[in-house]
Amino acid sequence: MPSSQIILLCLLSLTNAFYLPGVAPTQYEEGARVELKVNKLTSVKTQLPYSYYTLPVCTGPNSEISSKSLGEILTGDEIKSSAYKIRMKEDVTCKRLCTVPLKEKEKETLRRMVDEDYWVNWIVDNLPASTNFTRVIDGKDTPVTMVGFPVGSYHKDGTYSLNNHVTLHLEYHQNPNDKEGTSRIVGFRAQPYSISQSFRDDILEENGDKVICSGAGALPVFDFFQHNKVTYTYDVVWTESQVQWASRWDSYLQASPGSNQIHWFSILNSFVIVLILSVMVGMILLRTLLRDIAKYNELATKEEAAEETGWKLLHADVFREPPYSKLLVVSVGSGLQVLGMSTVVLIFALLGFLSPANRGGLLQSMMLLFTFMGLLSGYAAARMYRIFEKEDIRKVMLLTAILYPGVVFAIFFILNLFIWAKGSTGAVPFLTLFELLTLWFGISVPLVFLGSHYGFRRAPIELPTRTNKIPRGLPEQHWLSHPVPVCLAGGMLPFGSVFTEVFFILSSIWQHQFYYVFGFLALVMVILVITCAEVSIALIYFQLTAEDYRWWWRSFFSSGSSGLMLFAYSIFYHSTLQIEEGVSSILYFGYMIIMSLMLALLTGSIGTVSSFIFVKGIYGSVKID
């Protein structure tokens, strides 16, 4: 087999990374009780989740909240039991659940939920309920699977309907290696209907008159403004499936039609950007730079040395301490902390340890890993600060531990107040906020101090040149060399290399979709690191050849401005969403500020570290008198 085919197969295996559901399969005997749990109500218009029992619905015998992990609390999940009675392999037709009175307050709640496009989320055996729709894509009717189903509908004639009947389609698989007579649930689909049921008082059920709801789609819809009570009914349909239990999440995680081609096109586009940058950096290193080094090393006489120009003239100033050096090293340390967290999370995701069955697992893993990466942050900040021959390491330690985590926590706390004021389940309880503060000050801060102490005790990085006490003058620079246009242009390339994946990630966050193409994301992450390094090196070289030694901050912002590009794109992306409420827009932009800050720190730290290695290397290659 050709080597190119082997590489392609390896990439495909990465993009289709297997996953471990994280829980052992549950075996159900025929007739065994299958529990249906209810989760939060979600809306793409408000981004504010609410409890399912906010609606006038039937409450379960024990509607208590299941134990929640930190990730579930932060994502607003609120899983409770329900009144639905389901038995393994026992079909049910038009089963009455209960009848609930509808007062003006309940009707207004239903109207608001329908207007704001809220969806119901149910769970059976840890599988979310899905609903099948048909959309026209490229002129063809294409089936699309969505998680959950709408509370109701608004009709063109100005009426409102409530989905008060649902058909539960459950699929099971019988594994020959399991205990005889047992099955595993491998599929869960809910088909909602809005119907005005009829009743027969001559046939009684255990909880009242016989309900007639056959041909649910043909019955008139249930306009809740025209009724004073609502009856909830349901069907249960069991179907045997050939889907294995380990593959039951595939229908949720499979990409939408054509999206794989979009991912590959994005990677190809990013690869072209990297290739062009690599050629540019290669020309700098192999042609221009080597020629400069050879010329500088051949200068023999004082007259020739006096006529030298270019980046060698800056040897006594190139490692001069920049203004706000503490902020720079803290930013680089925090950026490497984000980079370390992202790398480990991607490795775990590729190995399949971050299954969507473990709700909130991804967010919880990111928070814990960010906490423990404080060790790397403190170490990197201390090592870099010692370059400037500084001894006041305590301020750097404190800033590294508190500055950026404090900014993020402050934004998060303010946003949480808005969510709390709206009565949403997305509001994080104060006890959980205290737990987050415990993680921060109890684990992260001590690890930052430990890393800083170890980094400061190590011998400082040896520089190839000495820095004069008096800085040299700067020649007049062209307006195109101004830091603002240069850095903005530099940030476009890293953001352009990840633009497509950013779109899919934002769609998964703000449109409540699954994102599980971590193989593609890992490839894009590698491309992003390479792009940031090469952009910064190229721009810093051109700056040094213009005899401008103020490269420290420019190396950070040359690639770090990609965070600004992300926020600018988020403004456009907001216009494509259906967010209408003011509080929802505040939440959107608040969280996008956090995401943009994280990206800026990550890319900026890559640019600064790679530029330092480059500058140290070139000045170590020439003879300095």
Side-chain angles (χ1 to χ4, degrees):
M1 181 182 293
S3 59
S4 59
Q5 295 182 14
I6 295 176
I7 295 174
L8 180 60
L9 288 176
C10 292
L11 293 176
L12 288 173
S13 65
L14 281 174
T15 56
N16 296 301
F18 68 93
Y19 64 91
L20 304 173
V23 292
T26 303
Q27 313 289 341
Y28 293 93
E29 296 183 352
E30 187 171 352
R33 182 173 180 269
V34 177
E35 186 176 9
L36 186 150
K37 296 183 178 181
V38 297
N39 200 352
K40 60 187 176 182
L41 302 172
T42 55
S43 168
V44 296
K45 287 187 176 181
T46 67
Q47 302 296 331
L48 293 169
Y50 286 95
S51 170
Y52 173 74
Y53 290 111
T54 303
L55 302 173
V57 293
C58 310
T59 57
N62 182 22
S63 302
E64 295 181 357
I65 302 176
S66 304
S67 59
K68 297 194 294 184
S69 65
L70 177 61
E72 288 178 313
I73 295 174
L74 294 176
T75 54
D77 283 338
E78 188 172 275
I79 301 175
K80 298 182 178 180
S81 60
S82 72
Y84 290 86
K85 298 178 181 179
I86 305 173
R87 299 285 177 178
M88 187 69 184
K89 297 184 183 179
E90 293 184 2
D91 290 353
V92 173
T93 302
C94 197
K95 178 73 172 179
R96 180 208 295 264
L97 190 64
C98 73
T99 300
V100 179
L102 289 178
K103 299 179 181 179
E104 291 302 319
K105 180 181 179 180
E106 284 77 14
K107 292 179 182 179
E108 182 60 27
T109 298
L110 288 173
R111 183 200 63 78
R112 181 172 64 87
M113 291 294 178
V114 173
D115 284 341
E116 294 177 349
D117 196 20
Y118 271 91
W119 282 51
V120 176
N121 295 279
W122 287 349
I123 301 170
V124 167
D125 194 40
N126 211 27
L127 277 179
S130 64
T131 306
N132 291 340
F133 294 91
T134 300
R135 290 181 178 176
V136 178
I137 301 177
D138 296 332
K140 298 180 181 179
D141 290 339
T142 305
V144 178
T145 300
M146 301 288 290
V147 177
F149 60 89
V151 171
S153 302
Y154 175 76
H155 304 278
K156 294 182 179 179
D157 58 359
T159 60
Y160 288 84
S161 62
L162 170 67
N163 289 323
N164 59 335
H165 178 86
V166 63
T167 300
L168 305 175
H169 296 274
L170 291 158
E171 298 179 358
Y172 65 92
H173 176 75
Q174 293 178 321
N175 193 325
N177 298 325
D178 293 339
K179 180 182 177 181
E180 185 177 355
T182 62
S183 305
R184 302 175 177 180
I185 297 176
V186 295
F188 178 32
R189 183 167 56 88
Q191 191 63 45
Y193 298 96
S194 176
I195 62 174
S196 296
Q197 301 99 332
S198 58
F199 304 90
R200 293 182 59 181
D201 55 9
D202 58 327
I203 304 177
L204 298 180
E205 290 184 331
E206 60 182 28
N207 57 348
D209 300 339
K210 174 67 177 178
V211 185
I212 306 300
C213 48
S214 59
L219 293 176
V221 299
F222 181 81
D223 184 351
F224 51 82
F225 277 115
Q226 303 300 321
H227 296 79
N228 293 323
K229 60 182 180 179
V230 55
T231 298
Y232 290 94
T233 54
Y234 65 100
D235 305 329
V236 179
V237 180
W238 288 94
T239 308
E240 186 173 4
S241 173
Q242 298 301 316
V243 176
Q244 298 285 336
W245 185 85
S247 304
R248 65 179 189 161
W249 276 88
D250 290 356
S251 60
Y252 301 91
L253 303 180
Q254 63 184 0
S256 58
S259 63
N260 278 339
Q261 290 84 345
I262 296 175
H263 283 290
W264 281 116
F265 177 79
S266 169
I267 290 176
L268 180 61
N269 175 65
S270 303
F271 178 76
V272 171
I273 293 176
V274 170
L275 184 62
I276 294 174
L277 286 173
S278 299
V279 170
M280 181 185 300
V281 174
M283 292 179 63
I284 292 174
L285 294 176
L286 298 179
R287 296 186 61 184
T288 309
L289 190 58
L290 291 180
R291 185 183 60 206
D292 289 348
I293 292 174
K295 182 183 73 173
Y296 291 148
N297 288 335
E298 289 174 359
L299 293 177
T301 65
K302 293 183 179 179
E303 292 77 9
E304 290 174 325
E307 296 175 1
E308 67 181 25
T309 59
W311 53 267
K312 187 184 177 184
L313 286 174
L314 308 178
H315 64 84
D317 296 272
V318 72
F319 294 108
R320 185 176 301 279
E321 179 184 359
Y324 308 107
S325 57
K326 291 186 180 67
L327 180 59
L328 175 64
V329 300
V330 169
S331 301
V332 173
S334 299
L336 293 178
Q337 184 178 6
V338 177
L339 177 62
M341 174 204 69
S342 304
T343 302
V344 177
V345 166
L346 275 177
I347 292 174
F348 283 162
L350 289 173
L351 295 176
F353 292 111
L354 298 178
S355 165
N358 182 16
R359 290 172 180 80
L362 177 61
L363 182 58
Q364 180 172 295
S365 300
M366 292 175 64
M367 295 208 51
L368 293 177
L369 285 170
F370 183 83
T371 299
F372 289 108
M373 285 295 167
L375 186 68
L376 173 62
S377 175
Y379 176 81
R383 291 288 289 162
M384 187 173 177
Y385 195 56
R386 290 216 67 186
I387 295 175
F388 309 125
E389 300 179 354
K390 293 289 187 176
E391 299 295 333
D392 51 337
I393 192 62
R394 294 182 180 178
K395 292 182 180 178
V396 172
M397 292 168 56
L398 192 61
L399 284 174
T400 305
I402 292 179
L403 180 59
Y404 289 111
V407 171
V408 172
F409 185 84
I411 295 174
F412 176 76
F413 181 78
I414 294 172
L415 295 179
N416 193 62
L417 293 178
F418 284 102
I419 302 173
W420 176 77
K422 299 293 290 187
S424 170
T425 60
V428 177
F430 284 101
L431 179 60
T432 304
L433 291 175
F434 179 76
E435 293 175 355
L436 294 177
L437 289 174
T438 303
L439 279 177
W440 181 12
F441 288 99
I443 300 177
S444 180
V445 171
L447 286 177
V448 170
F449 288 172
L450 180 62
S452 299
H453 176 73
Y454 181 68
F456 190 73
R457 285 177 59 88
R458 293 198 60 187
I461 299 173
E462 186 176 350
L463 300 178
T465 63
R466 295 181 180 179
T467 302
N468 287 341
K469 294 183 179 181
I470 302 176
R472 64 175 284 117
L474 294 170
E476 185 177 353
Q477 302 291 323
H478 192 274
W479 69 270
L480 287 176
S481 301
H482 193 273
V484 174
V486 170
C487 292
L488 288 178
M492 291 180 182
L493 291 176
F495 180 74
S497 66
V498 299
F499 167 75
T500 303
E501 290 306 313
V502 166
F503 169 79
F504 282 104
I505 292 174
L506 293 183
S507 297
S508 69
I509 295 174
W510 301 111
Q511 298 187 26
H512 307 148
Q513 300 175 4
F514 285 113
Y515 182 88
Y516 207 70
V517 285
F518 291 111
F520 287 115
L521 185 60
L523 293 176
V524 170
M525 182 69 177
V526 173
I527 292 174
L528 175 65
V529 172
I530 297 174
T531 304
C532 291
E534 293 183 338
V535 164
S536 296
I537 289 174
L539 293 179
I540 294 308
Y541 174 75
F542 293 137
Q543 179 182 353
L544 295 179
T545 55
E547 301 181 12
D548 186 352
Y549 58 84
R550 300 169 301 179
W551 63 273
W552 284 104
W553 275 110
R554 188 173 297 194
S555 67
F556 184 87
F557 287 115
S558 293
S559 52
S561 59
S562 57
L564 182 61
M565 302 297 167
L566 173 60
F567 186 74
Y569 174 71
S570 70
I571 298 175
F572 165 77
Y573 188 80
H574 178 268
S575 65
T576 66
L577 298 175
Q578 303 175 22
I579 296 178
E580 300 171 353
E581 213 172 314
V583 172
S584 302
S585 295
I586 292 174
L587 295 177
Y588 172 84
F589 286 110
Y591 287 126
M592 288 309 303
I593 287 175
I594 294 176
M595 293 176 60
S596 302
L597 177 62
M598 294 297 102
L599 180 63
L601 292 175
L602 185 150
T603 54
S605 62
I606 295 172
T608 302
V609 172
S610 57
S611 296
F612 173 73
I613 295 173
F614 169 75
V615 172
K616 181 175 177 292
I618 63 173
Y619 280 94
S621 302
V622 297
K623 297 177 182 178
I624 305 296
D625 297 332

